[in-house]
Amino acid sequence: MAHSARKMLSSRVKEYPYIVLVMRHGEAQDRGKHGDFDRELSEKGKKQAKRVAKGLDHCNIIPDAIVCSPAKRASQTMDRLLKRFGDKPRVDLDKDLYDGGIDAIMQQLRQARQSTHTLMIIGHEPIVSMACQWIANPKTSSDAEGMLGIGLSTGSVVVLGSKQPISQWSVRSADVLAVLRPKDLAD
C-alpha cells in the first residue's frame, strides 16, 4: 500500500471509535498426515502475517483484543502478528471460529467487552468473508462486495468501523473501511 493509501486508511479509522478487523489466516501448507486442523503456515503465509502486522501498525490500527481459531495455521498467524503488536491485545482462542460458521463470528461481536475499541478476529474461509458481508452496511461496501463475494485470499483483512460499541453490532451495522490483501500493505 502506498504511503498516501496508508494515510487515507489511518484517517478513515480515526472517524470510528469502534473497529473490527476480520482476517483470514496466512497461506498454509497442504494437508499432511495430521489433517486440516494441524496444517501449518507456509513460508509465504509467515511473510503475509508479518506484512499485515507491519501494515496495520503503520496505520496505527493495533487491536485491544484478538480472538482466533485454534487451528494451527490461524494461531501461527496470530503469533506472527503479536510479534509486532506486542502484549497489548488480550488473546482468546475459540474453536467455534474453526467449525462454528457465521454465528461464531457474530457471537464474538456480541461478547466484546465495552472497553474493546479494536477487535481482531482470525478465522477461515468461507466464513470470514460471508460474515463480513452480513455485518457490512451495503451503502458503504459496494466496492468491497465483489472482493468479499469471491472470498478473501489468504492473509487478507477486512476493516470494519462503526460508532456503536462492538457488542451492539448486528447485520448491516458497520461500514467497510477497507479490504486489504497482504500485497496492499507492502512498503
Side-chain angles (χ1 to χ4, degrees):
M1 176 187 291
H3 178 71
S4 62
R6 273 202 307 252
K7 189 174 178 181
M8 182 181 71
L9 177 59
S10 296
S11 171
R12 284 202 74 198
V13 166
K14 288 178 185 174
E15 297 173 25
Y16 295 87
Y18 299 97
I19 301 292
V20 172
L21 307 164
V22 180
M23 181 177 185
R24 181 181 181 191
H25 60 78
E27 181 185 88
Q29 298 175 359
D30 292 335
R31 287 184 193 206
K33 60 185 174 187
H34 301 294
D36 183 64
F37 191 82
D38 291 318
R39 289 171 55 208
E40 295 192 10
L41 285 179
S42 66
E43 286 305 312
K44 179 180 178 181
K46 292 173 184 176
K47 290 176 185 173
Q48 288 172 327
K50 183 178 179 180
R51 181 173 281 164
V52 168
K54 187 176 180 182
L56 292 174
D57 187 19
H58 281 263
C59 292
N60 297 313
I61 307 171
I62 304 296
D64 302 312
I66 299 175
V67 184
C68 181
S69 160
K72 189 157 216 143
R73 61 194 178 275
S75 61
Q76 287 178 331
T77 298
M78 179 183 65
D79 291 344
R80 293 275 171 172
L81 296 170
L82 290 171
K83 285 183 180 182
R84 182 73 181 214
F85 297 162
D87 60 1
K88 180 186 180 213
R90 289 183 318 279
V91 175
D92 288 306
L93 298 176
D94 181 359
K95 183 157 182 352
D96 287 343
L97 291 175
Y98 176 72
D99 58 10
I102 294 172
D103 192 53
I105 291 178
M106 300 306 286
Q107 183 68 20
Q108 288 302 324
L109 300 179
R110 289 189 293 271
Q111 292 176 350
R113 296 179 185 179
Q114 280 296 107
S115 61
T116 300
H117 287 268
T118 304
L119 171 65
M120 179 175 237
I121 299 171
I122 304 170
H124 308 272
E125 269 301 307
I127 302 307
V128 290
S129 60
M130 290 169 50
C132 290
Q133 288 176 336
W134 277 34
I135 298 164
N137 177 344
K139 293 177 184 172
T140 65
S141 65
S142 60
D143 293 341
E145 275 184 39
M147 208 169 194
L148 293 173
I150 60 171
L152 292 176
S153 58
T154 55
S156 293
V157 180
V158 179
V159 183
L160 301 156
S162 178
K163 300 200 186 312
Q164 296 180 348
I166 297 167
S167 63
Q168 296 175 17
W169 289 23
S170 62
V171 176
R172 310 287 182 239
S173 63
D175 295 340
V176 177
L177 307 182
V179 178
L180 305 169
R181 298 166 297 177
K183 67 182 180 181
D184 298 330
L185 294 164
D187 289 330

